[in-house]
């Protein structure tokens, strides 16, 4: 009887785990063996139900993992699409300063500035440490040390925003950029979004305006009288946005003081 029972229950756990339903144990004709077989049937049914629950839970978990993975992929694609839709050069760094994502415009600018070596500038590719690249920049030339300090301040929560205008001239082109650093929450902790906007057009215009003003001042200095610009505001008040230096000699008023209100000139007549 024991041999028959052993044969009936051989590899019972494996049979239960592999079976979709109940494991059949035939009657043996022996009372003791049939009682044990009945007990095995009850135990097998319970284990079989448990295995079904485990398989169902695993299938549900796998489905949730697939859905979550697809959701994260969609989210990552959306984030990259947003980054790439902005003309500014954008990089995202983690709390240690390592670049975790860059926009297409950032990558293109880096490739366009490889130089004769064909190698990407240090600290521009994903996985590189942007803080180290800023710290390694020559002091006073492109604001690298100031940029590094500002980024660290944002990462540590000491500042909510940091901006810096800096030159980035090439051998053939004069260029200026505005860097803006803002905090961002990443999965692994705090980080920052760094944007670089080309402000060359504005800087060149400012330089042209300064040069034009200097030319005007040189011309005005040769005129016997006063050269000035008169502006009347919508509220009726008026001022001299510009007045030549002879305003100081004739009326005793500093030209800069007349930029707010012209009545100072009347008081000194």
């Amino acid at each position: 009887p024991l041999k028959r029972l052993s044969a009936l229950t051989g590899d019972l756990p494996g049979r239960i785990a592999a079976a979709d339903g109940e494991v059949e144990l035939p009657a043996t004709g022996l009372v003791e063996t049939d009682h044990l077989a009945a007990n095995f049937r009850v135990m097998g049914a319970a284990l079989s139900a448990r295995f079904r629950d485990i398989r169902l839970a695993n299938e549900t978990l796998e489905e949730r993992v697939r859905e979550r993975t697809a959701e994260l992929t969609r989210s990552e694609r959306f984030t990259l699409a947003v980054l790439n839709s902005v003309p500014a050069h954008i990089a995202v760094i983690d709390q240690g300063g390592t670049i975790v994502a860059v926009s297409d415009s950032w990558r293109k600018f880096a490739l366009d500035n490889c130089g004769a070596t064909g190698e990407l500038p240090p600290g521009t590719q994903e996985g590189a440490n942007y803080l180290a690249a800023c710290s390694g920049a020559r002091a006073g030339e492109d604001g690298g040390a100031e940029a590094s300090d500002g980024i660290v301040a944002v990462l540590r929560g000491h500042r909510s925003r940091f901006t810096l205008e800096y030159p980035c001239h090439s051998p053939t082109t004069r260029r200026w950029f505005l860097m803006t650093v803002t905090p961002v929450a990443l999965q692994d902790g705090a980080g920052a979004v760094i944007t670089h906007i080309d402000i060359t057009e504005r800087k060149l215009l400012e330089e042209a305006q300064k040069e034009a003003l200097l030319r005007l001042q040189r011309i005005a200095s040769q005129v016997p009288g006063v050269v000035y610009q008169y502006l009347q505001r919508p509220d009726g008040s008026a001022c001299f946005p510009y007045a030549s230096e002879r305003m100081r000699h004739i009326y005793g008023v500093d030209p800069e003081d007349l930029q707010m209100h012209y009545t100072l000139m009347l008081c000194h007549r």
Side-chain angles (χ1 to χ4, degrees), residues 99 102-128 133:
I99 298 176
V102 297
S103 66
D104 284 346
S105 58
W106 174 290
R107 188 176 291 105
K108 182 178 183 303
F109 183 81
L111 290 172
D112 291 343
N113 289 270
C114 288
T117 63
E119 297 180 359
L120 289 173
T124 59
Q125 65 273 30
E126 294 175 348

Side-chain angles (χ1 to χ4, degrees), residues 144-188:
E146 185 179 356
S148 179
D149 292 342
I151 295 171
V152 170
V154 171
L155 289 173
R156 294 179 178 177
H158 299 160
R159 300 185 62 166
S160 60
R161 181 184 177 91
F162 172 74
T163 59
L164 174 68
E165 292 186 6
Y166 66 95
C168 184
H169 305 319
S170 72
T172 58
T173 308
R174 299 173 68 211
R175 301 174 302 195
W176 289 265
F177 288 88
L178 170 65
M179 181 178 74
T180 303
V181 185
T182 53
V184 64
L186 302 176
Q187 291 182 347
D188 299 331

Side-chain angles (χ1 to χ4, degrees), residues 228-234 236-242 259-260 262:
Y228 62 89
Q229 179 187 13
Y230 177 81
L231 174 66
Q232 186 170 9
R233 303 186 183 96
S237 63
C239 66
F240 290 169
Y242 171 78
Q259 293 177 359
M260 294 303 298
Y262 83 107

Side-chain angles (χ1 to χ4, degrees), residues 120-148:
L120 289 173
T124 59
Q125 65 273 30
E126 294 175 348
N129 192 285
Y130 191 69
L131 284 176
C134 290
S135 300
R138 284 171 287 185
E141 182 172 332
D142 53 10
E146 185 179 356
S148 179

